[in-house]
């Protein structure tokens, strides 16, 4: 049902239900409100905000405070969709204790219903500890952007036998640690399909083919707000950058030609007041 709040158990129950999970990133109140009024299931406050909202080259400089701030804004606009907050780089890698403390802040201060973190076996302890604290965790394997320097760039992962074996193991370890779902990013579709078949928890793909249990995109990519970014996995459902630039150019032209504001956009004194004002001077 469109207006029923989306819960973590409802997302978990989508596995093998025949209904795909849909997820998009959101970083502020206005977009959150617009997206929440559709049938989208999940709003992810992704650490991609570092690139999309802050203009950084990668996600590594995003802080926990940044994600809390953006999650609060998104939460205010989302009455129905499930709000998931990303754990930024170095907010969970140090220890399980650090991870649960920071996941707690995203829920308590940001209002998130669940958190997402990147990595497989090496973060299984963190996932287990966060889940034990009652906080649902979404895992994320494959092309995990926080490991950009380790990968030597944003490269599709799992193309070789050994790499794909590692990613499959990572996915299983995350499920065992208690993750309720898993983002599969930047990997061959055959690998994503096999992981999806093998797991009991739902997978949500981005650049991982069509066989995942759901799909996620960065909202700015879907809307064509980022004309310079054209990876293969993105489908632009609109070209809003052109729409915005045309609207702004029209505004500039109309202000300069003094056609805006027109009488219909201006306020006037009450009848008779103009005379009084003139007499006063
Ligand atoms: O940060 C992000 O936006 C993400 C999604 C692209 C999965 O992690």
């Amino acid at each position: 049902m469109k207006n029923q709040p989306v819960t973590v158990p409802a997302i978990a129950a989508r596995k093998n239900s025949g209904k795909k999970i849909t997820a998009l990133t959101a970083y502020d109140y206005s977009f959150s409100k617009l997206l929440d009024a559709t049938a989208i299931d999940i709003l992810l406050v992704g650490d991609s905000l570092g690139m999309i909202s802050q203009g950084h080259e990668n996600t590594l400089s995003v802080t926990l405070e940044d994600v809390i701030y953006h999650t609060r804004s998104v939460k205010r606009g989302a009455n129905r969709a499930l709000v998931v907050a990303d754990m930024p780089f170095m907010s969970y890698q140090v220890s399980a204790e650090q991870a649960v403390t920071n996941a707690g802040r995203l829920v308590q201060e940001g209002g998130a219903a669940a958190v997402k973190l990147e990595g497989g076996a090496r973060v299984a302890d963190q996932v287990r500890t966060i889940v034990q604290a009652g906080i649902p965790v979404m895992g994320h394997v494959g092309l995990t952007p926080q490991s950009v320097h380790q990968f030597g760039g944003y490269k599709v992962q799992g193309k070789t036998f050994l790499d794909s074996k590692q990613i499959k193991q990572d996915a299983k370890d995350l499920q065992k640690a208690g993750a309720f779902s898993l983002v599969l990013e930047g990997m061959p579709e055959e690998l994503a399909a096999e992981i999806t078949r093998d797991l009991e928890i739902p997978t949500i793909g981005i650049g991982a083919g069509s066989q995942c249990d759901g799909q996620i995109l960065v909202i700015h990519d879907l809307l064509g707000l980022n004309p310079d970014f054209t990876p293969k996995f993105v489908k632009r459902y609109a070209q809003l950058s052109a729409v915005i630039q045309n609207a702004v150019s029209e505004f500039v032209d109309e202000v300069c030609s003094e056609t805006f504001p027109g009488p219909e956009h201006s306020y006037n004194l009450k009848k008779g007041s103009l005379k009084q004002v003139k007499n006063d001077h």
Side-chain angles (χ1 to χ4, degrees), residues 69-88:
Y69 171 87
H70 285 272
T71 305
R72 274 194 191 137
S73 307
V74 168
K75 184 61 194 158
R76 279 183 215 117
N79 294 316
R80 184 198 53 78
L82 186 76
V83 175
V84 179
D86 231 349
M87 298 200 70

Side-chain angles (χ1 to χ4, degrees), residues 83-149:
V83 175
V84 179
D86 231 349
M87 298 200 70
F89 182 56
M90 292 318 292
S91 71
Y92 60 93
Q93 286 90 345
V94 176
S95 65
E97 196 181 331
Q98 182 211 27
V100 72
T101 303
N102 288 333
R105 290 193 62 195
L106 290 169
V107 172
Q108 206 162 35
E109 298 173 42
V115 299
K116 176 172 84 58
L117 53 81
E118 297 182 8
R122 64 183 176 182
V123 294
D125 272 352
Q126 282 89 328
V127 172
R128 198 172 303 110
T129 307
I130 297 171
V131 173
Q132 275 166 2
I135 300 170
V137 176
M138 179 182 279
H140 185 165
V141 295
L143 197 185
T144 43
Q146 290 174 16
S147 303
V148 60
H149 294 313

